[in-house]
Amino acid sequence: MDVARGFQSVVTTSEVFQSYEEDYHRLIERLRALAAVVEGGAVAERGAAGSEMLEAHERAKQAFQQMEFEVKSMGPLGAALSGKLKEYKQEMLACRTLVRNVQARLQREGLLGQAPRDEEKAERDSANRLRAGARRLEDSRRTALEAEAIGLNVMSELHDQRDSLKRTKGHLNDVDGHLGTSKMFLNLMSRRVQGNQAMVWCLAIVLFITLVFVIYLKLQKLTAFLR
């Protein structure tokens, strides 16, 4: 049952990673499409595309960070995804450079006056989310350590109970041996009592026969005297 729960947990974590991965690819493609709009679109479209690029980059960064969290939570099983994360990290760095270049260009052209402030806000939000995720990981680790300590205590108690059962079993074996010895002595005493009873009956029979014989002799003498 424990193996089945572990396998189900791994499958669920992989599905979550795949979901974030799909969001990441979709956002990167959207970011590149917006970069093309900034390069060759109309003036109004370029400013809107630049703002949307910043949002798409922030959301793609969030998806990447979530993928990192999921890989860390998988432990050794997440090693197979490390190479893929490195590729995504390089891609994110390239997209970040692209976004900054576009933002700087639009800023110079006066098409994106609020870009630096929005970017700082997005970075603060991202940092806050990272700290929150780190706190959740720390809480999970502390919970796992507490569960491990509880498990060790339970194992220690079970070991003590097993020793107690062994000692109890030894005492029962000793009692059983004493009972066998007592039974043997009782049987011996019973046989002696039966032997004594037989001797008493034999003595009684001999005395009865002797008494009858004496009475018979007395009667014989009395009969002879009367004649």
Side-chain angles (χ1 to χ4, degrees), residues 9-227:
S9 177
V10 171
V11 173
T12 304
T13 304
S14 299
E15 290 175 353
V16 172
F17 179 87
Q18 185 178 2
S19 175
Y20 286 123
E21 187 178 25
E22 291 174 355
D23 292 340
Y24 170 81
H25 286 304
R26 178 175 53 80
L27 292 167
I28 292 297
E29 292 176 0
R30 179 59 180 167
L31 188 148
R32 289 171 178 167
L34 291 170
V37 173
V38 172
E39 290 293 330
V43 175
E45 292 178 350
R46 291 173 64 195
S51 299
E52 192 174 349
M53 275 186 69
L54 181 62
E55 181 182 356
H57 178 263
E58 177 61 24
R59 292 176 61 188
K61 184 165 62 175
Q62 293 175 8
F64 176 76
Q65 292 168 353
Q66 291 296 331
M67 285 191 289
E68 285 184 322
F69 284 135
E70 292 300 326
V71 170
K72 290 179 181 179
S73 66
M74 293 171 67
L77 297 176
L81 301 174
S82 298
K84 184 180 292 188
L85 286 179
K86 291 180 180 178
E87 295 178 3
Y88 293 160
K89 188 173 184 179
Q90 294 297 326
E91 188 176 30
M92 285 296 301
L93 292 175
C95 290
R96 181 180 180 182
T97 302
L98 176 61
V99 170
R100 287 185 174 181
N101 292 336
V102 170
Q103 297 295 319
R105 178 179 176 180
L106 294 175
Q107 183 69 28
R108 288 193 303 269
E109 296 176 1
L111 299 176
L112 197 65
Q114 300 298 324
R117 187 179 301 174
D118 292 340
E119 185 173 358
E120 290 177 1
K121 181 178 181 299
E123 288 180 354
R124 286 195 301 269
D125 293 341
S126 177
N128 291 332
R129 280 189 289 271
L130 283 174
R131 285 192 291 269
R135 285 194 298 269
R136 287 194 296 271
L137 287 176
E138 181 64 23
D139 292 340
S140 299
R141 187 180 69 85
R142 184 165 53 252
T143 301
L145 291 176
E146 291 175 356
E148 182 180 3
I150 293 173
L152 291 175
N153 291 332
V154 171
M155 291 180 62
S156 177
E157 292 177 359
L158 290 175
H159 185 269
D160 294 339
Q161 291 178 2
R162 185 183 65 178
D163 292 340
S164 299
L165 289 174
K166 286 184 177 180
R167 289 193 294 270
T168 302
K169 183 179 180 181
H171 293 323
L172 290 176
N173 290 333
D174 294 338
V175 171
D176 186 62
H178 293 319
L179 288 175
T181 303
S182 300
K183 183 178 180 181
M184 181 181 64
F185 282 124
L186 288 175
N187 291 333
L188 180 60
M189 292 175 63
S190 177
R191 287 195 294 269
R192 287 183 178 179
V193 169
Q194 291 176 357
N196 292 333
Q197 288 179 349
M199 291 179 62
V200 169
W201 280 105
C202 292
L203 181 60
I205 293 172
V206 170
L207 291 175
F208 178 75
I209 294 174
T210 303
L211 180 61
V212 171
F213 182 72
V214 169
I215 292 173
Y216 175 76
L217 292 178
K218 291 292 184 179
L219 291 174
Q220 288 290 335
K221 291 181 178 180
L222 181 58
T223 303
F225 178 74
L226 295 173
R227 291 178 181 176

